[in-house]
C-alpha cells in the first residue's frame, strides 16, 4: 500500500509532462503541420521498471483513442551508478553519450521532456548536437525534482544553461535561478 502514492504521483507527473509538451508544441507552431510530432520523454533510470510500466499502460490506452499514435521505449545506459566514483563516472558518461547519439539522430524529436535522471543529460547533449549541425531544433523542457528544494541536482545544474524551459517546484529555486519557471508542486 505504501507504493500506491508513489505510483499515482508518477502517473500524475507523466500526464502533466505530456500535457505541457502538447501546449509548448502548439505555441511553437502556429502554422499547420503535416508531419506528426515527435516527443521524447526521459523518465527514470534504465533500472526504473515502474516508470516503464506506467508509460506502456498510458500509451496503450492512448492508442485506443488515437489509432495513429506510436511509441517506443528505449533504454539508455546510466551515466553514473549510485556510489560510483566521480573519476570512473567520466567513462560511463561518455559511453552513455555515445549510446544516445544514434537514438536521438534516428528519432529527431521535436521536444524532449526530462525530469532529472542523469540519463537525460546525454540525450539533451545529442539534441543540442542536432541543432549545432543544423539538422533540427529540438525544444528541451527540464522539470527539476520536487525533492530539490534549495539546490539543483547535477542534471539540473548542467541543463539549466541548455534547456529552453527549466521548471522548478519550489519558490526558493526560482529566486536563485531566474531563468527557471516556477509552477508550484507538480506531483
Amino acid at each position: 500500500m505504501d507504493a500506491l502514492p508513489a505510483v499515482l504521483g508518477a502517473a500524475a507527473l507523466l500526464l502533466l509532462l505530456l500535457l505541457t509538451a502538447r501546449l509548448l508544441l502548439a505555441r511553437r507552431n502556429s502554422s499547420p503541420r503535416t508531419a506528426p510530432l515527435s516527443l521524447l520523454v526521459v523518465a527514470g533510470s534504465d533500472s526504473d521498471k515502474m516508470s516503464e510500466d506506467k508509460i506502456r499502460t498510458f500509451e496503450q490506452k492512448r492508442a485506443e483513442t488515437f489509432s495513429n499514435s506510436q511509441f517506443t521505449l528505449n533504454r539508455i545506459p546510466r551515466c553514473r551508478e549510485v556510489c560510483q566514483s566521480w573519476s570512473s563516472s567520466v567513462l560511463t558518461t561518455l559511453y552513455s553519450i555515445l549510446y544516445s547519439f544514434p537514438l536521438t539522430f534516428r528519432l529527431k524529436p521535436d521536444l524532449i521532456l526530462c525530469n532529472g535522471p542523469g540519463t537525460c543529460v546525454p540525450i539533451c547533449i545529442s539534441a543540442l548536437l542536432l541543432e549545432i549541425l543544423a539538422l533540427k531544433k529540438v525544444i528541451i523542457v527540464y522539470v527539476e525534482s520536487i525533492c530539490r528544494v534549495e539546490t539543483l541536482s547535477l542534471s539540473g545544474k548542467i541543463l539549466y544553461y541548455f534547456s529552453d524551459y527549466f521548471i522548478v517546484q519550489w519558490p526558493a529555486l526560482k529566486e536563485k535561478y531566474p531563468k527557471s519557471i516556477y509552477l508550484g508542486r507538480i506531483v
Side-chain angles (χ1 to χ4, degrees), residues 18-165:
L18 291 172
L19 291 173
T20 302
R22 180 170 282 184
L23 174 68
L24 291 174
L25 286 172
R27 268 194 215 164
R28 178 179 169 213
N29 296 324
S30 58
S31 61
R33 202 179 154 100
T34 57
L37 296 175
S38 177
L39 170 66
L40 194 154
V41 178
V42 182
S45 65
D46 63 349
S47 58
D48 182 6
K49 184 73 173 137
M50 183 176 71
S51 291
E52 183 179 330
D53 292 342
K54 287 292 172 192
I55 291 167
R56 191 175 309 282
T57 301
F58 176 84
E59 289 295 341
Q60 287 170 344
K61 286 182 182 176
R62 188 169 180 265
E64 293 172 4
T65 305
F66 304 101
S67 60
N68 61 347
S69 176
Q70 298 177 356
F71 81 99
T72 59
L73 293 173
N74 297 281
R75 293 179 183 267
I76 305 297
R78 290 180 66 123
C79 295
R80 182 173 181 269
E81 294 290 336
V82 176
C83 297
Q84 180 181 355
S85 72
W86 288 103
S87 58
S88 68
S89 69
V90 171
L91 291 176
T92 54
T93 299
L94 287 174
Y95 174 70
S96 184
I97 291 169
L98 290 173
Y99 191 94
S100 299
F101 282 139
L103 175 66
T104 308
F105 281 100
R106 179 174 49 85
L107 296 175
K108 288 187 181 68
D110 295 299
L111 186 137
I112 294 177
L113 283 174
C114 43
N115 67 342
T119 308
C120 70
V121 174
I123 293 288
C124 292
I125 290 170
S126 299
L128 292 171
L129 186 59
L130 284 176
E131 185 174 353
I132 290 168
L133 296 173
L135 296 173
K136 183 163 196 175
K137 167 63 179 146
V138 179
I139 295 175
I140 299 173
V141 178
Y142 179 85
V143 180
E144 183 61 275
S145 170
I146 192 164
C147 67
R148 296 313 219 149
V149 178
E150 295 180 11
T151 61
L152 297 179
S153 63
L154 180 57
S155 298
K157 288 175 184 175
I158 295 168
L159 293 177
Y160 178 75
Y161 299 100
F162 301 106
S163 62
D164 296 287
Y165 299 92

